[in-house]
Amino acid sequence: MCTGLSYTTKNHYFGRNLDLEFSYNEKVTITPRNFPFEFRRVPPLPTHHAIIGMATTADGFPLYYDGTNEKGLSMAGLNFPDNADYKPEAADKTNIAPFEFIPWVLAQFDTVTQVETALTKVNLVDIPFNDDFPQSPLHWIISDSDRSLAVESVRSGLRVYDNPYGVLTNNPTFDIQSFNLNNYMHLSTNPPENNFSDQLRFDTYSRGMGAIGLPGDLSSASRFAKAVFTKMNSISGTSESESLSQFFQILGSVAQQRGCVRVGGEDSYEITIYSSCCNTDTGVYYYTTYENSQITGVDMHKVDLDSEELVDYPLTKGQQIAMHN
Ligand SMILES: C[C@H](CCC(=O)NCCS(=O)(=O)O)[C@H]1CC[C@H]2[C@@H]3[C@H](O)C[C@@H]4C[C@H](O)CC[C@]4(C)[C@H]3C[C@H](O)[C@]12C
């Protein structure tokens, strides 16, 4: 399971939790403007926008999980098992393989609205990267500082939804996730009032009772409701420290602790492998990992963005403890 998030204070921030039981050796990866992007079915992009994000590089190609370009456009792929349905090549369409989708979008577009127009021609074609990296069932959140989309290639075709929450988790499809929120409209950040019966007296014995009923389990439908509630009610100052802290707190509200979600075998548990938060205005990509609560940052503008070579930074994974004595 995963959770993607877009959040605006003075600057715009975009990131995600990556929840999985193993790692593909992902690194913070910068693709500079002259890295030659080649695609399977559409023309290459020898020059393009620079990108920073989390990726596994294979055969020299950056397989992005999430990323932001130098114009502030961002995109993340999240698991979408049994619903993702990629198509055969179509002659009248722009045929993009799923693993190319993030690079193809971030390489050339500046805004969500531009992407939305381009998506009317896009066909997510069923071409895997190679035998070592078979097809992933994904859907995507695409955001800028103004708006977000959810993009899903399902049996009935490519579905592009306006995403007013700036949140994406996993199954079910985005229309059902949105509909489910109707069940939570009674939740409040204020103390509850007695609508139960005027013949009974109740005691608001604890703070937070207005949101009793907000799910706390780790299923994707529950994480969606929880992340939307937390984000929509989120209040923070506008400094970098306050904004970043709030962003990681929202992601923390739906993080996965080892032991709570068993997958497959005896000792296999899904955990939040990393949480990321990119300041999309400054191009600084911040992350924490399961065992490294200290925020680590990479500034895309500190490398030569006109070069042709990928630059990557292995994750700092152990705790960085600041001792007082
Ligand atoms: C599984 C990851 C999403 C996290 C998530 O939702 N996990 C929940 C798993 S489950 O529902 O509970 O089973 C996704 C996000 C990005 C994906 C990766 C990126 O798409 C980049 C490449 C793409 C290649 O086709 C496959 C390997 C891969 C390296 C992908 C592996 C995997 O599918 C990733 C890492």
Side-chain angles (χ1 to χ4, degrees):
M1 305 294 163
C2 289
T3 305
L5 177 67
S6 169
Y7 184 63
T8 302
T9 61
K10 182 160 60 73
N11 287 345
H12 175 237
Y13 299 84
F14 180 90
R16 61 106 51 84
N17 283 344
L18 189 286
D19 303 334
L20 208 56
E21 62 279 19
F22 58 88
S23 159
Y24 290 89
N25 194 26
E26 55 278 348
K27 297 174 182 161
V28 179
T29 304
I30 298 173
T31 302
R33 297 178 189 118
N34 293 308
F35 171 83
F37 263 131
E38 301 208 356
F39 302 106
R40 301 290 169 95
R41 294 289 183 272
V42 293
L45 291 170
T47 65
H48 48 76
H49 297 330
I51 300 168
I52 186 165
M54 195 67 81
T56 295
T57 297
D59 298 341
F61 190 91
L63 294 163
Y64 276 106
Y65 305 10
D66 53 84
T68 293
N69 71 16
E70 57 184 311
K71 303 293 179 185
L73 183 69
S74 303
M75 182 164 175
L78 291 87
N79 219 36
F80 195 42
D82 303 324
N83 276 311
D85 189 59
Y86 305 128
K87 309 296 178 192
E89 194 173 349
D92 56 340
K93 291 280 193 177
T94 307
N95 293 290
I96 309 291
F99 67 85
E100 299 170 336
F101 196 26
I102 293 179
W104 185 81
V105 166
L106 296 184
Q108 51 190 329
F109 300 112
D110 299 9
T111 65
V112 165
T113 302
Q114 287 176 1
V115 181
E116 194 176 30
T117 305
L119 288 177
T120 57
K121 297 207 176 71
V122 163
N123 179 43
L124 286 179
V125 61
D126 190 7
I127 301 175
F129 183 71
N130 62 23
D131 290 346
D132 296 332
F133 295 99
Q135 201 60 278
S136 283
L138 300 175
H139 60 169
W140 293 267
I141 176 171
I142 305 177
S143 304
D144 60 23
S145 55
D146 289 333
R147 53 188 297 231
S148 296
L149 301 176
V151 181
E152 304 186 330
S153 182
V154 293
R155 274 160 216 93
S156 60
L158 193 73
R159 297 281 161 261
V160 179
Y161 299 97
D162 197 45
N163 180 344
Y165 327 107
V167 170
L168 191 69
T169 62
N170 308 99
N171 283 339
T173 52
F174 189 76
D175 50 346
I176 299 177
Q177 294 276 32
S178 295
F179 180 81
N180 279 345
L181 292 179
N182 289 317
N183 296 330
Y184 301 107
M185 72 168 99
H186 64 286
L187 299 185
S188 172
T189 57
N190 293 315
E193 287 175 9
N194 177 11
N195 294 312
F196 190 102
S197 166
D198 55 14
Q199 295 163 54
L200 297 173
R201 293 194 53 192
F202 295 103
D203 179 17
T204 45
Y205 61 87
S206 167
R207 294 177 176 182
M209 288 174 67
I212 287 180
L214 180 65
D217 70 274
L218 294 170
S219 68
S220 48
S222 294
R223 279 182 292 104
F224 188 76
K226 177 125 199 235
V228 171
F229 181 83
T230 310
K231 187 225 155 153
M232 299 310 282
N233 289 298
S234 198
I235 291 175
S236 65
T238 59
S239 69
E240 188 75 341
S241 170
E242 291 165 304
S243 306
L244 269 182
S245 304
Q246 190 73 4
F247 194 99
F248 281 112
Q249 289 289 349
I250 300 169
L251 287 182
S253 76
V254 286
Q256 310 219 9
Q257 298 78 25
R258 183 178 286 117
C260 294
V261 178
R262 178 180 278 162
V263 290
E266 265 295 286
D267 292 325
S268 192
Y269 295 95
E270 197 165 280
I271 60 168
T272 299
I273 290 184
Y274 73 83
S275 302
S276 67
C277 172
C278 186
N279 180 329
T280 73
D281 294 296
T282 60
V284 180
Y285 186 96
Y286 303 94
Y287 70 87
T288 60
T289 70
Y290 193 78
E291 282 185 43
N292 178 8
S293 322
Q294 178 182 291
I295 296 171
T296 307
V298 179
D299 183 345
M300 80 188 294
H301 295 287
K302 293 256 168 77
V303 310
D304 176 9
L305 288 183
D306 287 322
S307 109
E308 300 171 9
E309 307 285 336
L310 298 177
V311 182
D312 60 30
Y313 299 86
L315 303 190
T316 305
K317 288 187 174 162
Q319 289 296 357
Q320 311 296 303
I321 297 171
M323 296 291 294
H324 267 306
N325 62 13

